[in-house]
Amino acid sequence: QSSGESLKTAMRVSESHKQMVENGLFRGGSCPYGYKLIKSGLTNKKEKELLKLAIDEKQAEVVKEIYKLAYDELMGGLRIANTLNDKGVPSKTGGKWNSAVINVMLRNPIYKGYITFGKNSNGLRTDENEWILADKPDHDIQIISEEVWNRVFEIKKSNSPKNKKDNERKRYQTTKGKLLLVGMIKCGHCGSPLTTTY
């Protein structure tokens, strides 16, 4: 009986979170880079004031640069992290950037104005079809245009190890390397681009 009640409670909580997302409300938790939390003027059933996201202008400029490097220069997470570190741009924690953080940011729909439910603790589920997004974007928290976000997302998906095995999928060339024809030579069997290891 106790187990059954726990399951019912979990389902109610899950449904509540889904409804909040569909209504464009922030569910709590860690505030994404590029944003700050402010009072919403709304309260929950326990009379606790709810917070909402607002754009942190200084951090938002860094978010725009990250997406610009991914969109215009076709840079991956590691190169973007190195670029920010070379410029001395501090991460959310004040330390160095790393590729994992950048890659999560490049797949987070919050930057195109959509609060999302259905992601794991690391930021995203593998299958984006399971995400629950708000019905429409909240332009007050939109930092990146939908066009740019969608394009970057498709590039990241196409470059994932899983999709690289699909030789029918369009591939994006490697943009940097020490080899003469890097990004131009591909395997005749699987279509993967030439790479090097050290």
Side-chain angles (χ1 to χ4, degrees):
Q1 184 178 359
S2 176
S3 177
E5 288 302 319
S6 293
L7 181 59
K8 289 178 183 178
T9 300
M11 290 174 67
R12 283 196 299 270
V13 170
S14 181
E15 286 302 317
S16 174
H17 280 265
K18 288 179 183 178
Q19 192 61 52
M20 288 179 71
V21 166
E22 288 167 356
N23 293 335
L25 294 173
F26 182 63
R27 299 178 301 109
S30 178
C31 180
Y33 184 88
Y35 298 94
K36 58 187 176 182
L37 293 174
I38 61 174
K39 294 180 179 180
S40 68
L42 301 173
T43 56
N44 60 18
K45 292 180 180 179
K46 296 180 180 178
E47 298 301 319
K48 183 179 179 181
E49 186 164 25
L50 299 174
L51 299 175
K52 67 177 183 177
L53 290 174
I55 293 176
D56 181 311
E57 296 298 339
K58 187 175 180 181
Q59 291 184 0
E61 290 304 311
V62 178
V63 173
K64 290 176 184 176
E65 182 175 3
I66 289 171
Y67 272 83
K68 184 176 187 300
L69 292 173
Y71 183 80
D72 293 339
E73 307 294 333
L74 295 180
M75 284 190 184
L78 181 60
R79 287 182 62 196
I80 293 174
N82 289 339
T83 300
L84 295 178
N85 290 332
D86 290 344
K87 291 182 177 181
V89 178
S91 68
K92 184 178 181 180
T93 59
K96 298 283 188 182
W97 291 91
N98 62 62
S99 59
V101 170
I102 297 293
N103 288 331
V104 167
M105 289 177 65
L106 291 176
R107 295 185 63 214
N108 194 338
I110 192 68
Y111 296 113
K112 64 174 179 175
Y114 287 87
I115 294 176
T116 314
F117 177 65
K119 300 182 296 181
N120 62 26
S121 59
N122 291 325
L124 301 166
R125 274 187 182 169
T126 343
D127 187 0
E128 65 275 6
N129 295 320
E130 295 181 31
W131 298 349
I132 297 169
L133 274 67
D135 292 332
K136 56 185 179 180
D138 182 347
H139 297 294
D140 290 335
I141 61 171
Q142 184 177 14
I143 297 176
I144 306 299
S145 72
E146 283 204 55
E147 178 188 0
V148 170
W149 190 95
N150 291 340
R151 173 64 170 161
V152 169
F153 184 75
E154 286 305 314
I155 292 172
K156 298 300 292 179
K157 260 178 59 174
S158 179
N159 285 337
S160 71
K162 178 182 175 182
N163 290 329
K164 277 189 174 181
K165 294 178 181 178
D166 182 2
N167 58 9
E168 296 300 320
R169 184 176 294 274
K170 182 178 179 181
R171 302 175 192 282
Y172 295 87
Q173 290 186 343
T174 303
T175 57
K176 187 176 182 181
K178 295 182 179 180
L179 297 178
L180 180 62
L181 300 175
V182 66
M184 299 176 70
I185 299 175
K186 295 183 179 180
C187 172
H189 176 69
C190 71
S192 295
L194 175 70
T195 59
T196 57
T197 57
Y198 298 88

